[in-house]
Structure formats: C-alpha cells, structure tokens
C-alpha cells in the first residue's frame, strides 16, 4: 500500500526531473567516452602526444625538462623525454615494443608546469600490419656477441650505409624522395647525416636547394653555442627522416661534426660546451628515438672532444630502446698527416677511444680519400677488447679528387674486403658531390680534393653505388649475427666470415676454388655475383668441401639456410 501511495504522489514535474537527471548522466558519460578514446598503436610505430604548457618560457629548449613514463600491465616501464616544438608546445613520441598491452603514461616536468606535469593517458599496443621492413622486425639493438646489429625480433641487420651527410640542411622533401627510392632499390639501408650544418663560419642564404644556401638548426651555432634551437628546422627535418624510414633506410644522427665539417670552416664540435652538446643529443633522442636510428656521437675526429662522453652518456640514459651508439674517426689513427701541421693531439687514436665505456656500441674507422684499399684498420679493430662492432665508416668516396678516385668496381672490391678483414658490422659508401649535396655541377665553395663537376643527383648515379648496395642482398635472410673472422676454417690465406655450423661467407676476387673445413653436411650453398646481385648457382655442402666459382670473375660463396623473411 505504501508503494502504491508513493507512486500516486509522484507528480509529472518530479518525474521530469528524474528523466532529465538520468539523461544528463548518460550524455555526460557518453561524452567522456567520446572525448577519451584509447588509441590503438601498432607495435614499433611512433605515437605522438602533444602537451601545452601553462606558463610561457623565454627559451623552451633550455628552461624546462619534460618527460613521460609509460607502463604496461606487466609492470614494464619505459621513459621517453619530451622535446620542445616551439611556443608552448612539447611533444612525446613513443613506440610500443609489444602487442596486446594497455600502456598508461604520465608526464613530468622540472620545474613543475600544470600544463605538462601530471598529464596522463592510455594506449593499446596492437600488431603491426604494415609492410615497412624496418618496423616489421622492430627497432635496432646490438647482437648478444656485440659484433652486429639486430632487430628487436632477432633478425640480423648488416649496415650498408651511404653518406648523404648534408641532406638535413640542404635537401628538400622532393629531392629526398628521389634519393631514398634510388638507394632503397640499390640495397642501402642506412644514411649518415650531419643533423645540422656544423661549420661556424659557413656563409650563405638561409634557404634549401639554393646555391651556397643552407638551413639553420640553431640561431647561435655560428657564435659557438647550441642554445637557440629553431623548431621549424626540425619540423622540416621530421619529414625528411620519415621519407628515409619509409624507404627502409635508417638515419644515422651525428649531432655536430668534430672534423672537416661541410666546407672546412671551423666546426663547432671540438669546442662545444659539453652540457650544450649533451642536451642536444638528448633532444635528438627525444625527437627521433622512437624510430629506427643510430647515434653517432663523434664525427671525423679522435673521439675525445669534451662533449663526446657526456653526449654518449646522455644518449644511453634517455634512449629506452638502446639503439646503437658509436664513434666515427678521422683517418689519422696511427700516423701524423700533413693537415695536422705537426700537431698530433687529434691523431694516434687507433680507432678505440672509450672502448671500455658501456654506452659505446660501435667504432667506425676512416681510410681517407686517396683511392687506397687499406684493410689493416678494421683488422686491428676486430681484435680490440671489449668487443665493439666495427666497420670502415669512410672509404674513398667515389669521384673524389676531381672525379678520379674510387671509381666503379673499386667500391665493390673495397666493401667486400673491408667485411672480410674484420669490419663485420657492415659497409659504408660515399660519393663526391653527394655528401655535400651540391645543388648544381658548378656550385662553388669546395676544394678540388672533394669536388667534381656534378650535382648531387648526378653523383648519386655513379656506378660504384650499385656494387656497394648489392652487399645487403647477399646477406638477406641469413642468420649471420655475430659472425666471426676466421682463417683457420679455410686452406687459403684469406679470411672468411663464419657463424660455425650455421653460416659461412667468402669473397673470391678472382674466382677459383676454396676449401672450407668442419662443415655441417647437407647445408645449402650459393654463388652470389657481387656485380649483378644474382644468385647464379647453388648446391649442397659436404663436411670437407671444396667449392669452385663459376668463372674467374669476383664471386661470393654463401653457405647456410635462409631463416628470416624480409
């Protein structure tokens, strides 16, 4: 009876209030769901988070540090630094390393800023469905034995690098699309880059694709500092780096050069304030570290300039994915060159600076540009302890010396022999006029030793790039990570590379025969033509087999199972 009486006393106004409140709650709840969807992010792809500061800062690059922690349901936590992108905008880029997880994130700032600190969010990691061969296998790291690079899923990555050093400050997006398509088709998978134009006294218009011109990454680099960063420069650089990655080419980021630089007009690297250099290394990790990357903390020197170690340590601290970090040297590892003018302080480094440091993953030698095949550098570096991956990071660029040095097959012979003598991390190629990104064949500004009558586009088409690029095609699919230099497994005086019982590779520069000992019977073998990129013969190995090349031209013998898909 009480229930009926209550129902009888409910007025239309009372019922209307109930309906209104209920509908309002539903609308609010529905609105919250619509406003806060949990995005799905494919594994190893970059998810960008934008934060807007409450306060204004005189210099957003130097005045505040922002970071975010990302934690999944298993309790795994990754820390990503944020980067200033102009005005009141900071961005965080994160690539989930797994699938099927709910990741939660929280931002922090020092000093505290209510627009930045305390912001939170979520994302779901899902399987990658794209066709990018880099992202399909995950970001890069060092192999267990430290001699090679591998993807996150274990697929080996042999560096086959090119040196278009000046792309970041000279090239346009349309040009880089042309370049990247050419290099991808030839087999290149890495590009060595000066992230900013490093010469303090270089002059020219602040414009890309213009004779003598170059874009500026810092407004105070010419004054000897790295404090006044230009976000618009890096926003454009984002588009160039994305083009490279889309074409399967990993950017190799060198912060500020330490040697010759772009035009030899006094690079900032040797005198950069260590804290400024390290902060810039952190910025590069923040901006580009969620994509495939190498970090080259010293370029074209002895590796001991004041900012190098702080830069390496900063990179190691903030790169939660631990992509490879290393040093690129000048050629004066064991002699005093004429350009040193009697000063040996930047010489006799033996390509082993900071060999004991945990942040250092690889060492890259340089053999100079005189057209000489010099294999003793990587041969010695291979024996250094503790083990660091190594290669020759700068052979004679094709066409150096006014178009005369390192032409054609010279580049193929160089690449294969550097590998066999101990540069097991991979190979690097370079071309005159491409490295400085010459706009026109007659653009002035370079000495004859590093010049030729070509533009970047003409230089890109030189014959030798075909042979260097083909090296990657020989290794594709094989399990070569931590292959060792071995002379004891063959009856010749030459080295072969082997992962005993799994993978063997030998370069025969004039064909002929080679015997390989202690083989696993039944393994397939192949003859690869290093001039055409074609596998022209195959068979089955025996335990003590002798293998005869198809003719007396250069050939590569490969023994092993293809275990990895592209």
């Amino acid at each position: 009876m009480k229930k009926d009486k209550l129902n009888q006393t409910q007025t239309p106004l009372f019922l209307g209030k109930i309906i209104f409140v209920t509908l309002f709650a539903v609308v609010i709840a529905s609105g919250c769901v619509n406003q806060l969807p949990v995005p799905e992010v494919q594994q190893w792809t970059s998810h960008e988070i934008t934060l807007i500061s409450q306060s204004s800062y005189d210099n957003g690059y130097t005045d505040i540090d922002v970071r975010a922690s990302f934690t999944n349901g298993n309790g795994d936590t990754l820390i990503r630094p944020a980067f200033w992108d102009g005005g009141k905008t900071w961005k965080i880029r994160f690539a989930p390393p797994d699938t099927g997880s709910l990741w939660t994130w929280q931002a922090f700032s020092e000093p505290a800023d209510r627009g930045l600190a305390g912001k939170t969010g979520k994302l779901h990691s899902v399987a990658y469905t794209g066709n990018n061969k880099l992202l399909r296998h995950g970001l890069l790291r060092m192999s267990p034995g430290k001699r090679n690079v591998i993807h996150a899923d274990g697929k080996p990555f042999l560096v086959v690098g090119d040196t278009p050093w000046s792309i970041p400050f000279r090239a346009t997006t349309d040009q880089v699309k042309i370049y990247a398509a050419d290099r991808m088709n030839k087999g290149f998978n890495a590009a060595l880059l000066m992230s900013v134009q490093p010469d303090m006294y270089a002059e020219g218009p602040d414009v890309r694709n213009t004779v003598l011109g170059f874009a500026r990454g810092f407004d105070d680099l010419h004054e000897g500092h790295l404090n006044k960063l230009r976000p618009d420069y890096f926003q454009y650089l984002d588009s160039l780096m994305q083009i490279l990655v889309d074409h399967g080419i990993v950017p190799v980021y060198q912060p500020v050069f330490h040697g010759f630089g772009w035009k030899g007009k006094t690079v900032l690297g040797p005198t950069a304030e260590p804290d400024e250099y390290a902060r810039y290394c952190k910025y590069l990790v923040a901006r580009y570290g969620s994509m495939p990357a190498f970090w080259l903390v010293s370029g074209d020197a002895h590796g001991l300039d004041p900012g190098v170690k702080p830069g390496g340590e900063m990179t190691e601290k903030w790169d939660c994915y631990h992509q490879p970090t290393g040093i690129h040297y000048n050629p004066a590892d064991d002699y005093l060159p004429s350009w040193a003018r009697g000063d040996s302080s930047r010489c006799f480094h033996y390509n082993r600076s900071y060999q004991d440091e945990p942040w250092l993953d690889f060492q890259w030698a340089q053999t100079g540009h005189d057209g000489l095949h010099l294999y003793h550098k990587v041969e010695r570096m291979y024996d250094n302890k503790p083990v660091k991956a190594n290669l020759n990071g700068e052979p004679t660029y094709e066409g150096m010396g006014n178009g005369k040095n390192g032409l054609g097959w010279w580049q193929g012979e160089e690449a294969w022999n550097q590998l066999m003598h101990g540069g097991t991390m991979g190979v690097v190629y370079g071309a005159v006029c491409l490295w400085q990104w010459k706009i026109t064949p007659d653009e002035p500004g370079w000495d004859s030793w590093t010049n030729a009558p070509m533009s970047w586009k003409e230089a890109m088409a030189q014959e030798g790039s075909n042979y260097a690029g083909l090296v990657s095609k020989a290794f594709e699919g094989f399990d070569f990570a931590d292959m060792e230099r071995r002379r004891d497994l063959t009856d010749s005086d030459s080295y072969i590379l082997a992962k005993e019982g799994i993978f063997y590779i030998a370069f025969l520069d004039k064909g002929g025969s080679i015997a390989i000992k202690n083989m696993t019977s039944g393994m397939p073998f192949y003859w690869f033509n290093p001039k055409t990129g074609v596998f022209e013969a195959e068979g089955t190995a025996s335990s003590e087999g002798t293998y005869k090349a198809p003719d007396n031209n250069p050939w590569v013998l490969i023994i092993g199972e293809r275990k990895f898909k592209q």
Side-chain angles (χ1 to χ4, degrees):
M1 294 295 294
K2 290 182 178 179
K3 182 177 180 181
D4 292 340
K5 187 176 182 180
L6 179 63
N7 288 339
Q8 291 172 5
T9 60
Q10 289 175 339
T11 64
L13 178 60
F14 179 74
L15 292 173
K17 289 180 178 179
I18 293 176
I19 293 170
F20 175 79
V21 170
T22 302
L23 289 175
F24 182 78
V26 170
V27 169
I28 291 297
S30 175
C32 288
V33 172
N34 291 333
Q35 290 174 12
L36 299 172
V38 178
E40 290 189 344
V41 182
Q42 294 189 24
Q43 185 182 27
W44 299 122
T45 62
S46 287
H47 175 65
E48 184 173 283
I49 299 164
T50 299
L51 302 176
I52 305 299
S53 66
Q54 183 181 67
S55 301
S56 297
Y57 298 91
D58 292 338
N59 187 337
Y61 175 62
T62 61
D63 292 352
I64 184 170
D65 285 321
V66 184
R67 68 187 186 279
S69 65
F70 293 79
T71 303
N72 66 10
N74 295 325
D76 302 321
T77 298
L78 298 175
I79 308 295
R80 289 287 295 142
F83 61 90
W84 178 60
D85 204 36
K88 291 187 171 185
T89 301
W90 275 260
K91 293 182 177 180
I92 305 159
R93 290 174 178 167
F94 174 75
D98 62 5
T99 62
S101 290
L102 176 65
W103 289 82
T104 60
W105 61 267
Q106 181 175 358
F108 305 85
S109 70
E110 297 173 0
D113 184 297
R114 294 181 62 184
L116 305 172
K119 299 300 180 182
T120 61
K122 299 178 181 180
L123 62 91
H124 281 295
S125 62
V126 298
Y128 180 67
T129 60
N131 58 8
N132 184 288
K133 62 183 180 181
L134 295 175
L135 301 184
R136 185 184 302 134
H137 300 287
L139 298 189
L140 302 174
R141 56 187 172 90
M142 298 309 298
S143 60
K146 310 301 183 185
R147 292 209 179 273
N148 285 101
V149 176
I150 60 175
H151 287 276
D153 69 355
K155 184 179 187 291
F157 181 93
L158 188 83
V159 174
V160 179
D162 191 22
T163 52
W165 289 107
S166 304
I167 273 179
F169 51 90
R170 299 215 84 192
T172 65
T173 53
D174 287 342
Q175 291 173 339
V176 175
K177 288 176 183 177
I178 294 170
Y179 167 82
D182 177 89
R183 275 1 196 191
M184 178 183 70
N185 290 335
K186 288 177 177 174
F188 290 94
N189 58 22
L192 282 64
L193 305 168
M194 299 180 189
S195 64
V196 292
Q197 194 289 114
D199 295 5
M200 288 189 285
Y201 305 129
E203 297 179 345
D206 186 3
V207 185
R208 297 172 180 274
N209 193 31
T210 300
V211 171
L212 301 179
F214 61 96
R216 274 70 165 172
F218 287 86
D219 282 331
D220 58 345
L221 188 148
H222 68 286
E223 299 171 346
H225 289 285
L226 297 169
N227 294 321
K228 299 178 181 179
L229 180 138
R230 293 179 53 168
D232 61 327
Y233 173 90
F234 290 93
Q235 290 160 3
Y236 196 88
L237 185 60
D238 288 353
S239 63
L240 303 182
M241 299 303 96
Q242 189 63 58
I243 292 167
L244 293 179
V245 172
D246 287 346
H247 286 81
I249 298 171
V250 180
V252 181
Y253 296 96
Q254 205 297 306
V256 184
F257 237 52
H258 300 83
F260 180 77
W262 184 43
K263 292 189 174 183
K265 295 185 178 293
T266 312
V267 292
L268 172 59
T271 57
E273 292 292 334
D275 60 336
E276 294 178 14
Y277 191 83
R279 180 173 55 222
Y280 181 43
C281 289
K282 179 182 176 182
Y283 187 87
L284 291 175
V285 170
R287 190 151 200 141
Y288 301 110
S290 64
M291 299 167 63
F294 288 93
W295 313 115
L296 200 60
V297 293
S298 179
D300 192 29
H302 58 350
L304 297 173
D305 286 313
V308 174
K309 183 177 181 180
E313 292 173 336
M314 186 71 81
T315 300
E316 177 75 7
K317 176 180 178 180
W318 289 102
D319 180 10
C320 63
Y321 303 110
H322 302 296
Q323 298 200 86
T325 300
I327 292 175
H328 167 279
Y329 291 91
N330 66 32
D333 57 334
D334 59 359
Y335 71 99
L336 186 65
S338 59
W339 50 260
R341 299 180 181 178
D343 179 6
S344 63
S345 61
R346 303 181 73 76
C347 310
F348 300 100
H349 47 74
Y350 296 97
N351 304 303
R352 57 166 295 122
S353 299
Y354 298 118
Q355 187 81 14
D356 296 335
E357 290 288 335
W359 55 263
L360 185 78
D361 298 311
F362 63 84
Q363 305 275 31
W364 287 1
Q366 179 181 165
T367 51
H369 297 283
D370 297 325
L372 301 176
H373 292 302
L374 302 175
Y375 308 128
H376 65 280
K377 295 175 187 276
V378 296
E379 197 167 21
R380 288 191 304 220
M381 293 163 71
Y382 180 90
D383 292 327
N384 288 338
K385 296 293 185 292
V387 170
K388 305 291 183 180
N390 79 90
L391 55 71
N392 182 21
E394 192 165 332
T396 295
Y397 289 174
E398 187 167 15
M400 291 289 266
N402 203 24
K404 298 176 182 178
N405 294 343
L407 303 179
W409 174 244
W410 188 98
Q411 296 292 337
E413 181 181 3
E414 170 75 4
W416 281 104
N417 277 303
Q418 291 289 348
L419 266 173
M420 293 297 150
H421 281 78
T424 57
M425 188 180 181
V427 301
V428 171
Y429 166 85
V432 68
C433 302
L434 179 68
W435 79 263
Q436 63 264 59
W437 208 260
K438 277 184 65 179
I439 306 304
T440 62
D442 59 352
E443 182 180 12
W446 290 274
D447 297 334
S448 61
W449 69 271
T450 185
N451 200 12
M454 287 183 279
S455 69
W456 69 268
K457 196 171 184 180
E458 294 162 323
M460 183 179 68
Q462 291 184 94
E463 178 187 351
S465 63
N466 295 295
Y467 307 129
L470 287 176
V471 173
S472 68
K473 298 186 178 182
F475 283 82
E476 182 59 45
F478 292 102
D479 183 9
F480 58 83
D482 290 325
M483 57 187 172
E484 299 176 312
R485 185 188 67 193
R486 302 288 294 270
R487 185 173 277 161
D488 60 306
L489 294 178
T490 176
D491 61 352
S492 74
D493 292 331
S494 300
Y495 293 115
I496 68 169
L497 302 179
K499 189 173 182 178
E500 200 164 357
I502 298 174
F503 175 78
Y504 304 79
I505 189 165
F507 174 62
L508 285 67
D509 61 342
K510 296 180 181 178
S513 299
I514 185 171
I516 299 180
K517 306 172 186 177
N518 303 327
M519 288 290 303
T520 301
S521 297
M523 296 176 66
F525 74 81
Y526 310 88
W527 285 105
F528 176 80
N529 188 325
K531 289 189 172 182
T532 66
V534 175
F535 288 87
E536 297 195 13
E538 59 184 74
T540 303
S542 61
S543 60
E544 299 288 337
T546 297
Y547 305 88
K548 184 175 176 57
D551 56 39
N552 292 327
N553 290 307
W555 287 94
V556 177
L557 172 67
I558 305 170
I559 304 172
E561 299 276 359
R562 287 189 175 95
K563 296 184 177 181
F564 297 94
K565 295 181 179 180
Q566 189 174 22

